[in-house]
């Protein structure tokens, strides 16, 4: 298939070009500044997204929330995603987001987490399109930067109203939509049903970004070919393989998708972990390091042994030594 065409979001001086139209999904506890920079430095990601932020916390001036929203110029283009269920709070939060200067403001209408649903936010808004429309409309009226909305098929398989929400977004001036092709009830289980992405693309004239089950470059090609979507968003697939955006671009150009070497993996993992160690207190750093080690060592020889070993470690220093030793042994065996 031909190379991906860039997507232009917005109009005039505040418009942003996403080239290539490959998007890093917002993921709570994952897409912090360190991980966004890692993916950006590997290359060929069009837009990176911050982990989703509570609109109430933004408006209340929560210090931790403001720290989460810090970003650097190297990350651009980038989006800040907000969630909530109160129209005025969402609009105020969007105004604050715009003042911070990201390229895109995104509204979360797809998160299936219980704590978000209980607050009538995230995917719960798909059960109240009147409220969803009032939020979108007021946010659109209050900000000038490009606005996007991310949602799912619906709350469950008997309430798949994504076409209604997609048309509502288009009518209210949203610049693009992203759909994860699962219901909220499915969470991340089962398979994403890309046939619905094709239907959404047929129904809308604004760009449609497809999301769900992109693990290898061939998945992205199949999604684009089968759905006609304008771009691809990748979440969990990027946690195990931050090189996936670069690999997709190569694959679509008919080139061999480069596989990271063991040394590439070592440098990325240790570089990331040292960044985490510098920014986080010991307890929080250990939690994050264990989580990322589980993803990064997936499929590596003796990776399970390392994952078991780190559960017993109680300091970041011990953790980093264990990871360095693991890779040193792997490289020694490779050279033998």
């Amino acid at each position: 298939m031909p190379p991906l065409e860039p997507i232009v979001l917005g109009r005039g001086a505040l418009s942003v070009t996403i080239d290539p139209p490959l998007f890093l999904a917002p993921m709570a506890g994952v897409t912090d500044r360190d991980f966004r920079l890692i993916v950006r430095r590997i290359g060929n990601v069009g837009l990176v997204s911050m982990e989703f932020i509570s609109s109430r916390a933004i408006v209340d001036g929560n210090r931790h929330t403001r720290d989460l929203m810090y970003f650097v110029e190297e990350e651009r283009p980038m989006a800040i995603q907000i969630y909530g269920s109160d129209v005025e709070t969402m609009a105020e939060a969007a105004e604050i987001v715009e003042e911070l200067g990201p390229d895109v403001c995104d509204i979360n209408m797809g998160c299936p987490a219980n704590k978000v649903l209980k607050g009538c936010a995230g995917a719960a808004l798909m059960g109240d399109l009147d409220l969803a429309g009032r939020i979108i409309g007021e946010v659109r009226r209050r900000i000038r930067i490009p606005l996007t909305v991310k949602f799912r098929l619906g709350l469950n398989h008997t309430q798949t109203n994504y076409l209604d929400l997609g048309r509502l977004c288009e009518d209210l001036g949203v610049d693009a939509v992203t759909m994860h092709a699962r219901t909220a009830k499915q969470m991340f289980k089962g398979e994403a049903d890309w046939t619905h992405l094709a239907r959404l693309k047929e129904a809308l004239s604004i760009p449609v970004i497809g999301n769900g089950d992109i693990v290898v470059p061939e998945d992205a090609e199949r999604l684009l070919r089968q759905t006609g979507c304008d771009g691809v968003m990748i979440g969990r697939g990027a946690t195990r393989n931050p090189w996936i955006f670069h690999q997709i671009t190569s694959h679509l150009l008919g080139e061999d998708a480069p596989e990271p070497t063991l040394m590439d993996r070592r440098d990325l993992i240790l570089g990331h972990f040292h960044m985490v160690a510098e920014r986080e207190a010991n307890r929080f750093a250990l939690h994050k390091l264990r989580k990322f080690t589980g993803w990064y060592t997936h499929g590596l020889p003796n990776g399970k042994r390392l994952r078991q070993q780190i559960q017993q470690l109680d300091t970041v220093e011990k953790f980093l030594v264990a990871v360095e030793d693991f890779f040193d042994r792997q490289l020694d065996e490779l050279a033998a």
Side-chain angles (χ1 to χ4, degrees):
M1 61 182 297
L4 287 171
E5 292 294 328
I7 295 175
V8 179
L9 301 179
R11 300 170 186 81
L14 295 177
S15 66
V16 58
T17 300
I18 312 301
D19 184 19
L22 301 175
F23 298 71
L24 174 64
M27 292 177 281
V30 178
T31 51
D32 58 13
R33 181 175 23 146
D34 296 335
F35 188 69
R36 296 193 305 266
L37 282 171
I38 283 169
V39 173
R40 178 63 73 192
R41 287 168 181 172
I42 291 172
N44 293 115
V45 60
L47 181 136
V48 298
S49 298
M50 200 172 281
E51 51 190 306
F52 69 174
I53 308 287
S54 161
S55 58
R56 171 53 60 190
I58 294 173
V59 171
D60 288 348
N62 180 280
R63 182 174 178 179
H64 175 65
T65 298
R66 289 301 180 95
D67 288 343
L68 285 177
M69 297 172 73
Y70 178 79
F71 65 94
V72 295
E73 286 296 307
E74 187 183 352
E75 298 178 54
R76 294 188 185 277
M78 75 154 299
I80 295 179
Q81 187 187 72
I82 59 175
Y83 73 93
S85 59
D86 180 76
V87 176
E88 180 60 25
T89 304
M90 285 288 282
E92 287 185 33
E95 288 180 315
I96 294 170
V97 165
E98 183 171 61
E99 289 174 5
L100 293 174
D103 301 281
V104 175
C105 178
D106 185 61
I107 298 177
N108 183 317
M109 293 192 174
C111 179
N114 285 332
K115 68 176 183 179
V116 175
L117 296 177
K118 287 177 182 177
C120 299
L125 289 169
M126 297 196 74
D128 188 346
L129 292 190
D130 176 68
L131 176 57
R134 286 188 286 123
I135 289 173
I136 295 167
E138 189 61 17
V139 169
R140 176 71 288 174
R141 189 179 72 82
R142 303 267 279 269
I143 65 173
R144 297 176 300 148
I145 62 174
L147 175 65
T148 58
V149 178
K150 187 172 189 284
F151 50 85
R152 287 186 170 232
L153 302 181
L155 292 177
N156 53 56
H157 283 299
T158 64
Q159 296 175 282
T160 53
N161 58 346
Y162 63 90
L163 289 176
D164 294 329
L165 180 53
R167 292 186 181 107
L168 186 62
C169 288
E170 183 169 79
D171 291 344
L172 291 171
V174 169
D175 294 288
V177 296
T178 300
M179 187 168 77
H180 183 137
R182 286 183 173 87
T183 67
K185 186 175 181 179
Q186 282 181 278
M187 300 285 285
F188 297 96
K189 298 176 182 177
E191 292 185 359
D193 189 346
W194 293 348
T195 60
H196 295 289
L197 288 169
R199 292 172 190 157
L200 183 65
K201 176 58 186 171
E202 289 176 0
L204 303 184
S205 59
I206 58 175
V208 173
I209 314 304
N211 178 220
D213 291 352
I214 306 298
V215 179
V216 295
E218 291 78 8
D219 294 333
E221 181 184 11
R222 283 193 303 108
L223 185 147
L224 292 165
R225 186 175 63 249
Q226 292 175 14
T227 69
C229 279
D230 302 280
V232 177
M233 179 174 281
I234 304 169
R236 292 174 299 158
T239 59
R240 291 183 174 181
N241 179 19
W243 293 269
I244 191 167
F245 301 98
H246 186 46
Q247 292 169 345
I248 289 170
T249 304
S250 297
H251 178 73
L252 293 177
L253 290 171
E255 302 170 357
D256 290 335
E259 280 294 326
T261 65
L262 191 61
M263 185 62 78
D264 290 335
R265 291 186 179 278
R266 178 189 186 280
D267 291 346
L268 179 139
I269 292 171
L270 288 174
H272 185 184
F273 288 1
H274 279 291
M275 285 194 288
V276 172
E278 289 173 4
R279 299 188 201 282
E280 304 277 3
N282 188 74
R283 180 166 62 90
F284 295 108
L286 282 172
H287 172 73
K288 184 168 286 189
L289 294 177
R290 289 190 182 108
K291 178 168 61 177
F292 273 98
T293 298
W295 290 325
Y296 284 163
T297 61
H298 180 77
L300 285 182
N302 301 314
K304 183 178 180 180
R305 187 187 309 165
L306 175 64
R307 294 192 291 273
Q308 291 172 337
Q309 177 188 356
I310 62 176
Q311 297 305 317
Q312 315 304 320
L313 304 180
D314 57 1
T315 69
V316 171
E317 290 74 19
K318 293 177 183 177
F319 194 105
L320 293 173
V321 168
V323 174
E324 288 189 30
D325 287 346
F326 168 79
F327 277 101
D328 286 344
R329 286 195 300 273
Q330 297 294 315
L331 290 166
D332 286 344
E333 290 176 11
L334 194 64

